Amino acid sequence: MFLRSLLRKNPAFVEAVVALHQAGSIPANSYVIDLDAVAANTSHLMYEAKKLGLTVYAMTKQLGRAPDVLDAITGAGVDGYVAVDMACARPISANGHNLGHIGHLVQVAAGEAREAVAMHPDYWTVFTPNKAAEASAAASRIGRVQDLLVRVFAPGDEFYPGHEGGIPLEDLPAMIAHIAGLSGARFAGLTTFPALLFDPATGRARTTPNMATLARAAESAGQYLGPNNQGQLQINAPGTTSSAVLAQLAEAGATQVEPGHGLTGTTPLHAVDDLPEQPAVCYVSEVAHIHQGMPFCFGGGLYIDPVFGDYQTTAVVARDPGEAATKPIPVDMPDPAAIDYYAKLNPESDRTVSEGDTVVFGFRIQAFVTRAFVAGVAGVRSGAPSVAGISDVLGNPVNRGSR
């Protein structure tokens, strides 16, 4: 879905990827990140966000929490990071970056509350009174008062299946009172997900009913805030975030936004419109073997975020960087229920494909649910690309030894 955009707007990146893979610098089964493009995308988004008074916490799960990618985003001025889970939080904190938000989408497990609070997150989302008490108890142990966000919901709100959770809107006053009675916690604001969703019918991002619920919750919260709650009520509103929707979110009341795919130019809006963010990510494989005339490429990271439903996946197959602009070929992807050891390539009858050829995909990635590598490439814009680092999807550096 994003391969056309990648080839049109960032062809030098694809050429660099082919050259680096053929040189042995990038292994097959790698999500490769154009660090120059990610930094430029982040800088542009931060510029637009600050004009609107928005705090920006970058999501890193899609990018595998790779240290060099975090460094590029931090260097471009982001306020901090949102950790989808503790596996995200650890490399963010360990590499010296600001942990801006934890506990949303995935609540912090009871046994990990002490570890989480020791990372000093700016905000911590809780879905229940018990989770608020756990965060407070952990914070009290180290003499900290933790700012909490409360997820709220009302009838008609939209959730992805399996993402449901939070406090019913009518129970919010009781939840605020409960937090006020905790020594290690302070009510700081509200959140939901998703605040925006892509609408295929219009090709635009629509505000979900959840945002109206947040507005009603904010009005209710204002009546119950105690003297210990200082400053602006925080409204955290993630989902389909890029520079194109920041004004829409701010107008709906958001104070915090959390771009993920927006930093790599791979939100649904980027697939249908020419937005300022440059495409900055691809998946790299290689032809593993040819069986009865059918080329197979390595898998391991062939999970495609299903935001668009089923569509025909294509890939560039090349051995020389000059071949990167050749017509992409169709790919038979493994069934989602199967282990993605390989994918099948379907070249035209006159197309020569050989073992060891580089295979470049441009789909919408979710590195953290795969067993792929994450490789950051610097210097594409200057014409001197090199691999800045290779990590696993937990953000741990990978030592591949000498070639």
Side-chain angles (χ1 to χ4, degrees), residues 12-402:
F13 175 47
V14 181
E15 293 173 6
V17 164
V18 173
L20 290 167
H21 170 258
Q22 286 296 318
S25 299
I26 294 174
N29 184 32
S30 288
Y31 296 113
V32 186
I33 317 298
D34 182 343
L35 300 178
D36 298 348
V38 165
N41 292 344
T42 304
S43 180
H44 173 74
L45 190 142
M46 291 303 303
Y47 175 77
E48 297 297 329
K50 292 311 172 185
K51 289 194 296 185
L52 296 166
L54 295 170
T55 297
V56 178
Y57 293 138
M59 175 61 81
T60 67
K61 64 185 176 69
Q62 297 96 333
L63 301 176
R65 309 106 173 193
D68 48 295
V69 179
L70 295 179
D71 288 344
I73 296 172
T74 295
V78 77
D79 294 306
Y81 294 87
V82 51
V84 71
D85 53 20
M86 286 297 290
C88 261
R90 293 181 184 109
I92 290 168
S93 180
N95 287 286
H97 303 284
N98 179 45
L99 180 58
H101 184 196
I102 196 170
H104 190 215
L105 299 166
V106 180
Q107 293 280 273
V108 176
E112 295 178 317
R114 293 189 195 180
E115 181 186 3
V117 80
M119 298 177 187
H120 289 223
D122 294 347
Y123 299 97
W124 182 327
T125 285
V126 293
F127 290 0
T128 67
N130 181 62
K131 284 298 178 185
E134 288 175 2
S136 172
S140 292
R141 285 178 175 273
I142 63 171
R144 177 175 167 84
V145 176
Q146 177 63 53
D147 280 336
L148 300 183
L149 303 179
V150 175
R151 190 205 261 188
V152 292
F153 71 93
D157 283 1
E158 298 181 53
F159 296 102
Y160 291 109
H163 288 202
E164 299 88 351
I167 295 294
L169 179 60
E170 62 270 22
D171 293 343
L172 180 60
M175 182 65 164
I176 294 174
H178 170 69
I179 294 172
L182 300 174
S183 60
R186 176 171 49 228
F187 173 71
L190 305 157
T191 188
T192 189
F193 180 80
L196 297 179
L197 280 175
F198 177 70
D199 185 350
T202 63
R204 295 288 180 265
R206 64 175 175 84
T207 304
T208 66
N210 308 28
M211 283 304 292
T213 298
L214 280 186
R216 292 161 58 198
E219 183 177 356
S220 173
Q223 304 176 39
Y224 296 97
L225 290 178
N228 293 330
N229 291 277
Q230 306 296 324
Q232 180 185 22
L233 183 72
Q234 296 299 310
I235 305 296
N236 178 271
T240 317
T241 308
S242 69
S243 60
V245 301
L246 294 180
Q248 182 179 351
L249 287 167
E251 184 177 350
T255 66
Q256 298 177 8
V257 296
E258 296 181 347
H261 284 287
L263 303 183
T264 52
T266 51
T267 74
L269 292 176
H270 289 89
V272 300
D273 208 350
D274 193 10
L275 301 185
E277 290 86 13
Q278 187 178 30
V281 62
C282 64
Y283 177 69
V284 176
S285 184
E286 72 179 54
V287 177
H289 63 281
I290 299 175
H291 176 69
Q292 296 183 324
M294 175 71 72
F296 286 70
C297 70
F298 291 107
L302 291 172
Y303 173 83
I304 299 180
D305 189 325
V307 66
F308 291 110
D310 293 333
Y311 62 89
Q312 176 61 64
T313 305
T314 61
V316 167
V317 180
R319 185 170 288 266
D320 183 272
E323 299 171 341
T326 56
K327 181 181 177 181
I329 65 175
V331 180
D332 292 340
M333 300 289 281
D335 186 279
I339 299 172
D340 64 327
Y341 295 122
Y342 301 102
K344 298 178 183 179
L345 309 178
N346 291 284
E348 297 173 351
S349 58
D350 61 347
R351 181 81 175 269
T352 300
V353 173
S354 303
E355 293 180 5
D357 283 357
T358 304
V359 184
V360 181
F361 294 83
F363 54 75
R364 178 178 157 99
I365 73 170
Q366 289 284 358
F368 79 118
V369 296
T370 75
R371 60 187 191 280
F373 298 105
V374 180
V377 172
V380 172
R381 290 192 166 192
S382 65
S386 63
V387 176
I390 298 175
S391 306
D392 63 21
V393 294
L394 293 174
N396 301 308
V398 172
N399 182 3
R400 299 175 60 227
S402 58

